[in-house]
Amino acid sequence: MALDALFKPFEFKSLKLPNRVVMAPMTRSFSPGGVATDDVAAYYARRAAAQVGLIVTEGTGVARPASLNDPNVPRFHGEKELAAWKTVVDEVHAAGGLIAPQLWHVGSAKGPAQLGKVDSPSGVSKAGGGQFTEPMSDSDVADTITAFATAAADAKRLGFDAIELHGAHGYLIDQFFWNGTNLRDDAFGGPTIAERSKFAAEILKAVRAAVGPDYPVIIRLSQWKQQDYAVKNAETPQLLEAWLQPLADAGADIFHCSQRRFWEPEFEGSDLNFAGWTKKLTGAPTITVGSVGLSGEFIAAFGGEGSQPASIDGLLERLDRGEFDLVGVGRALLQDPEWVVKIRDGRSDELQNFSREALGVLY
C-alpha cells in the first residue's frame, strides 16, 4: 500500500534513514543566552524515540555578530554552546535517532532583538525598501562564508549525521538570491539568479571542503519570503534550473524545498510541486514540506489559526511515484511527538489538532 513508501529506508552517502520522515526545522526560543538546555535535548530525543527518520534542528546561529535576532535562539559557536549541542546529539543517538543542525543567519530579517551589526547584501530588508544599513563588505562576505564552514566542521566533529543550510524564507542566504534585496553589482550580485547564487555556492564549497565528500549537506530553499509570500526567485523551470544547478555543482546533496502548502503545483502545466521540479531538474534527492498532515498552513498559525489532522493520501501517492524522496513534518510533530508511530500503526483517530499554544511550549 502507499503507506509503505513512507516507511521505506532511505540511504544517501553516510545517511541511512529507517523511513522517509524528516522533522522540519522550527524556531524554538527556549535556549536562554543562546545555549540549548536539557529540555531542548529531551524535546528532540522524544521525537527520535518515536521513529522520526531524521531530525533537523531549529535554526542555530553561525559565528557572526548578527546571525540571530533573538537571544533565546541557540547559537552554534562557543564552548558552552557546542557542549550543549553535543548533549543533544548524544541523547538523540541514544534514543535511536539521527540529527542534523540547521545552520542559520537571519541577515536583515527583524526579530525580538538585534544582536549586532546587521549583515545584508545591499542594506535593504525588502523589495522597494529604503537602505537602512551598509551593504556587506568583501570581508563581511568572506567571514560569513567561513562561519558557515566552521559550523559545519563543528557539527561533524560533534557527531551530527548531516547538516542543513538555511537558504530560505527571506533570511541572509535567500536575501542574496532575491533580486529585491540583492542590488549588488560585484561578484555576489547581478541581474540573473545564477549570478545571485554565488554567495550560497561559495558557502557550499567551503562547507564541502570542511566536511569532506561523504558527509551529507542539505540546503533548505523556498520561493516565498516572509517579506513577500507571492514572490519567486524562479518564475519558470528554466530559471529554477539556473538557480539550483550551481548549488548542486558546489556541493549540495539534498534540497529541502519549502512550500506553505506542499500540494500546490510550482508551475502551470504540471502537477509537480517545488520538490518535484527540483528533483526533476537536478536529479538530487529532495524533501517536500508544507502543511503535511494538517488542514491549515503554518503562517496562519502565528495569527492564532488552529489546524485539524488532514489526510496524507495525496502525499503518499506523490512519494510512491518518486516525485520527491523525503517528507518534512513540522507542526504535526511539534504538537505530537508520537505522530510517526500513529501514522504507521493506523491510529489516525489519535492524531491531535494543532493549536497556536503549542508554539509556546517545549514538550
Side-chain angles (χ1 to χ4, degrees):
M1 61 178 181
L3 189 61
D4 294 341
L6 194 63
F7 292 94
K8 181 179 179 181
F10 173 83
E11 294 191 12
F12 186 86
K13 292 189 174 179
S14 61
L15 197 63
K16 295 178 172 58
L17 307 183
N19 59 51
R20 304 304 177 103
V21 180
V22 175
M23 181 175 175
M26 291 172 282
T27 303
R28 311 295 292 161
S29 299
F30 290 101
S31 298
V35 181
T37 65
D38 290 343
D39 287 342
V40 171
Y43 162 79
Y44 288 122
R46 276 191 289 276
R47 277 78 185 164
Q51 304 300 307
V52 173
L54 174 67
I55 291 167
V56 180
T57 74
E58 62 210 287
T60 179
V62 298
R64 285 288 293 173
S67 66
L68 296 176
N69 55 19
D70 183 334
N72 296 316
V73 167
R75 295 187 294 266
F76 208 82
H77 58 94
E79 186 175 347
K80 288 191 302 182
E81 292 87 344
L82 294 179
W85 280 117
K86 176 62 173 167
T87 298
V88 173
V89 171
D90 290 347
E91 293 204 14
V92 166
H93 286 169
L98 300 170
I99 186 168
Q102 187 190 66
L103 305 179
W104 194 21
H105 191 316
V106 302
S108 60
K110 294 181 172 64
Q114 190 55 54
L115 305 182
K117 178 183 175 295
V118 173
D119 285 330
S120 168
S122 302
V124 300
S125 61
K126 61 182 179 180
Q131 185 170 332
F132 72 96
T133 191
E134 291 299 310
M136 290 172 74
S137 67
D138 290 346
S139 63
D140 290 335
V141 170
D143 287 351
T144 303
I145 291 169
T146 298
F148 275 102
T150 300
D154 284 335
K156 184 178 181 182
R157 176 176 58 81
L158 292 173
F160 281 95
D161 302 287
I163 64 106
E164 177 171 289
L165 303 175
H166 196 338
H169 304 165
Y171 295 113
L172 184 65
I173 294 175
D174 197 21
Q175 287 163 19
F176 273 86
F177 290 141
W178 186 19
N179 61 7
T181 46
N182 185 348
L183 312 176
R184 302 172 73 98
D185 57 8
D186 64 359
F188 293 96
T192 71
I193 185 62
E195 290 170 308
R196 297 191 302 276
S197 293
K198 184 174 181 181
F199 179 65
E202 291 301 312
I203 291 173
L204 282 160
K205 289 175 186 176
V207 164
R208 178 57 68 202
V211 300
D214 295 324
Y215 192 73
V217 175
I218 307 165
I219 185 166
R220 195 177 212 209
L221 302 175
S222 69
Q223 296 265 38
W224 68 272
K225 327 290 175 202
Q226 59 187 292
Q227 301 93 328
D228 186 340
Y229 296 151
V231 75
K232 290 191 172 190
N233 290 330
E235 294 279 0
T236 66
Q238 293 75 23
L239 288 173
L240 185 61
E241 185 171 20
W243 174 22
L244 300 176
Q245 195 58 53
L247 307 182
D249 293 343
D253 289 316
I254 299 171
F255 289 95
H256 191 171
C257 301
S258 176
Q259 292 180 263
R260 293 169 67 195
R261 307 169 185 87
F262 79 85
W263 56 86
E264 293 181 342
E266 190 58 36
F267 303 113
E268 284 189 28
S270 168
D271 289 334
L272 290 177
N273 71 1
F274 185 28
W277 270 106
T278 297
K279 182 176 181 179
K280 178 178 179 177
L281 292 172
T282 66
T286 60
I287 307 169
T288 196
V289 69
S291 304
V292 170
L294 290 172
S295 60
E297 57 91 29
F298 77 100
I299 295 294
F302 290 96
E305 181 180 303
S307 295
Q308 293 74 47
S311 171
I312 61 168
D313 288 349
L315 173 86
L316 296 174
E317 291 172 7
R318 289 169 180 258
L319 180 64
D320 194 39
R321 64 176 180 251
E323 182 174 336
F324 38 75
D325 302 273
L326 298 161
V327 175
V329 181
R331 289 167 298 131
L333 271 171
L334 186 151
Q335 179 82 35
D336 184 2
E338 300 284 329
W339 186 87
V340 176
V341 292
K342 289 177 181 178
I343 292 292
R344 182 196 65 192
D345 297 342
R347 294 153 52 196
S348 59
D349 58 321
E350 297 179 28
L351 295 174
Q352 299 181 22
N353 295 338
F354 177 82
S355 66
R356 182 183 180 181
E357 287 69 31
L359 297 172
V361 181
L362 195 69
Y363 58 81

